[in-house]
Amino acid sequence: MTEAAGQRVSSGLEGVYIAESTICKVDGQQGRLYYRGYPIDALSKNSDFEEVAYLLLYGKLPNRQELDGIRKQMAEARDLPRGVISIITEMSGKADPMDILRTAASSLSAYDPEVSDQSPEANLRKSIRIISRVSSIVATIGRINEGGSYVAPDKSMGHEENFLYMLNGKKPTERQLEIMKDMFIIHAEHSSNASTFGTMVAGSTLADIYSAITAGISVLKGPLHGGADEAALRMMKEIGSPNNTESYIEGALAGKKKIMGFGHRVYKTYDPRARIIKEYLVNLQPDASDEVKRYTEIALRAEKLMVDKLGQSHGIWPNVDFFAGPVYVAAGIPVELFTPIFAASRSAGWCAHMLEYWKNNKLFRPLEVYSGDIDLEYVPIENRK
Ligand code: CMC
């Protein structure tokens, strides 16, 4: 906080509460994360994405019938309209996958007859369609980027399995499926992070839910937020050999560069999501490829150095994005899809927040402390220097 003209300015809204919510608790001191009261570890061990999406949207774990219901709704919404596939095809190779995703997700509104129905029931139905279709868009972006053509979804598959099927054109291995389940659950929600706040700002104007989610995707792209997963893996690529790790990190820190995948506004201890992903990465080592083994060694050496230097002293620890890259590589996911997959998963959290916030909507309209000139005399252009 700084004091300006007698007003308190909270740079980056640090320390400001923007809403009351029952969706997610981030305990930044103890390093704990809960969705609707359930610890993230329990969900990542036992659940799957459809169940977590239900939990986030409805506020409780589904019974068997309710789970079957959301699975069916999501499966039925999976197929992409031809116009959306055309947008993806047209932009492929010309734009970053996050830009393609932003445009394609926005275009979904054209194919939803309920787009202007702002009733809670319609917004819930639209949310389920969005959560399903954003994943189909991401898989199709990956597929077309690799030179393939659209793979129609398989309604008999679960969400993660169908995602990998639409991406690769074949059924995934057990390992790939396990990885995607974990990643989809871990990234589904994280309280009032930047992209969720961006979603809420757009939604608070009573713009429709497609507009709100498109705002969320735009905000997620940046390397200080969701884009950090790609940036972290690109750094590991640049480091190249594990023996270069320490000199690379020391050099970057000396040059005042940030190390992507470390630090967090709320967690001042180890991010519980990073802990789960790291444990997963370590456990998959015996069967890992040489490439994954190399990234893992780099990641572990970088982690040790960063934690020794900045952990206890500065509260800078690995976050969810640091170990994600090598795990995605183990699942055969190309680096440019990491952040789009984050968005596919986070669409559940974004929608849950909109449904909750709209129950008691209030337009977001913060203030600025104006520190410029005032009452200047207007000078005609021919008299200006
Ligand atoms: N590497 C080196 N120094 C860092 C890092 C880092 N990753 N993160 C923070 N610092 C330093 C920063 O340089 C600053 O130092 P000083 O006070 O000497 O200027 C101090 O810590 C405070 O940093 P800040 O950026 O002002 O603090 P913040 O609360 O805005 O930071 C953050 C949050 C996530 C933007 C920041 O830690 C960062 O840029 N990390 C790297 C990007 C990243 O991994 N983002 C993903 C975040 S978690 C998942 C998600 O949201 O998507």
Side-chain angles (χ1 to χ4, degrees), residues 44-187:
S44 82
K45 269 198 194 80
N46 301 305
S47 204
D48 62 18
F49 185 63
E50 288 111 319
E51 186 174 72
V52 166
Y54 187 99
L55 174 67
L56 293 171
L57 295 177
Y58 291 85
K60 67 175 194 84
L61 282 172
N63 61 29
R64 171 62 54 202
Q65 198 186 354
E66 290 161 337
L67 184 58
D68 289 347
I70 195 169
R71 282 198 207 290
K72 189 160 179 277
Q73 281 174 281
M74 284 176 67
E76 272 166 8
R78 270 177 197 156
D79 206 5
L80 291 178
R82 200 188 292 246
V84 179
I85 301 167
S86 299
I87 288 173
I88 297 170
T89 309
E90 174 58 30
M91 292 180 76
S92 184
K94 303 188 188 94
D96 181 276
M98 277 302 278
D99 300 346
I100 305 177
L101 171 60
R102 189 188 60 227
T103 309
S106 171
S107 79
L108 286 175
S109 69
Y111 307 94
D112 195 327
E114 293 193 297
V115 64
S116 306
D117 184 344
Q118 284 285 48
S119 65
E121 297 75 19
N123 278 327
L124 180 56
R125 288 191 293 272
K126 283 182 275 182
S127 294
I128 292 171
R129 291 196 279 274
I130 287 171
I131 296 167
S132 170
R133 287 184 162 186
V134 172
S135 282
S136 298
I137 290 175
V138 174
T140 304
I141 291 170
R143 178 87 187 145
I144 292 178
N145 239 3
E146 294 290 316
S149 48
Y150 181 65
V151 176
D154 183 330
K155 286 187 192 169
S156 72
M157 292 179 179
H159 185 83
E160 302 89 336
E161 187 179 14
N162 176 70
F163 170 80
L164 288 162
Y165 172 68
M166 288 180 77
L167 174 63
N168 297 319
K170 55 181 186 211
K171 269 176 148 283
T173 62
E174 280 300 307
R175 161 71 42 90
Q176 286 175 315
L177 191 53
E178 206 177 275
I179 289 175
M180 287 322 294
K181 271 194 199 296
D182 241 25
M183 297 309 241
F184 263 103
I185 291 172
I186 284 173
H187 288 88

Side-chain angles (χ1 to χ4, degrees), residues 13 197 363-368:
L13 293 184
F197 182 52
L363 175 76
F364 280 106
R365 203 309 183 186
L367 296 170
E368 288 176 316

Side-chain angles (χ1 to χ4, degrees), residues 84-314:
V84 179
I85 301 167
S86 299
I87 288 173
I88 297 170
T89 309
E90 174 58 30
M91 292 180 76
S92 184
K94 303 188 188 94
D96 181 276
M98 277 302 278
D99 300 346
I100 305 177
L101 171 60
R102 189 188 60 227
T103 309
S106 171
S107 79
L108 286 175
S109 69
Y111 307 94
D112 195 327
E114 293 193 297
V115 64
S116 306
D117 184 344
Q118 284 285 48
S119 65
E121 297 75 19
N123 278 327
L124 180 56
R125 288 191 293 272
K126 283 182 275 182
S127 294
I128 292 171
R129 291 196 279 274
I130 287 171
I131 296 167
S132 170
R133 287 184 162 186
V134 172
S135 282
S136 298
I137 290 175
V138 174
T140 304
I141 291 170
R143 178 87 187 145
I144 292 178
N145 239 3
E146 294 290 316
S149 48
Y150 181 65
V151 176
D154 183 330
K155 286 187 192 169
S156 72
M157 292 179 179
H159 185 83
E160 302 89 336
E161 187 179 14
N162 176 70
F163 170 80
L164 288 162
Y165 172 68
M166 288 180 77
L167 174 63
N168 297 319
K170 55 181 186 211
K171 269 176 148 283
T173 62
E174 280 300 307
R175 161 71 42 90
Q176 286 175 315
L177 191 53
E178 206 177 275
I179 289 175
M180 287 322 294
K181 271 194 199 296
D182 241 25
M183 297 309 241
F184 263 103
I185 291 172
I186 284 173
H187 288 88
E189 163 57 15
H190 210 236
S191 79
S192 53
N193 56 88
S195 59
T196 301
F197 182 52
T199 303
M200 291 166 73
V201 170
S204 82
T205 68
L206 298 185
D208 65 275
I209 197 158
Y210 287 96
S211 305
I213 264 56
T214 306
I217 294 169
S218 305
V219 178
L220 188 75
K221 182 184 176 189
L224 296 188
H225 190 13
D229 51 8
E230 297 189 16
L233 191 87
R234 291 192 202 283
M235 179 189 78
M236 293 172 203
K237 258 190 185 165
E238 209 178 308
I239 291 175
S241 155
N243 286 337
N244 298 335
T245 307
E246 288 77 10
S247 58
Y248 182 99
I249 301 282
E250 296 276 13
L253 292 177
K256 296 271 171 219
K257 274 200 193 154
K258 281 182 170 174
I259 308 301
M260 295 295 135
F262 285 87
H264 198 274
R265 177 66 63 75
V266 183
Y267 293 120
K268 296 305 167 196
T269 182
Y270 216 106
D271 180 335
R273 303 167 299 173
R275 205 181 280 291
I276 295 172
I277 300 174
K278 177 185 168 185
E279 190 185 311
Y280 195 87
L281 179 62
V282 169
N283 287 341
L284 64 76
Q285 288 310 299
D287 306 322
S289 66
D290 288 348
E291 187 188 19
V292 172
K293 285 192 168 128
R294 192 170 62 249
Y295 287 143
T296 307
E297 196 182 338
I298 291 171
L300 293 174
R301 285 171 72 158
E303 180 212 22
K304 178 165 184 347
L305 181 68
M306 287 293 286
V307 167
D308 286 351
K309 266 182 118 74
L310 301 172
Q312 294 296 350
S313 57
H314 292 74

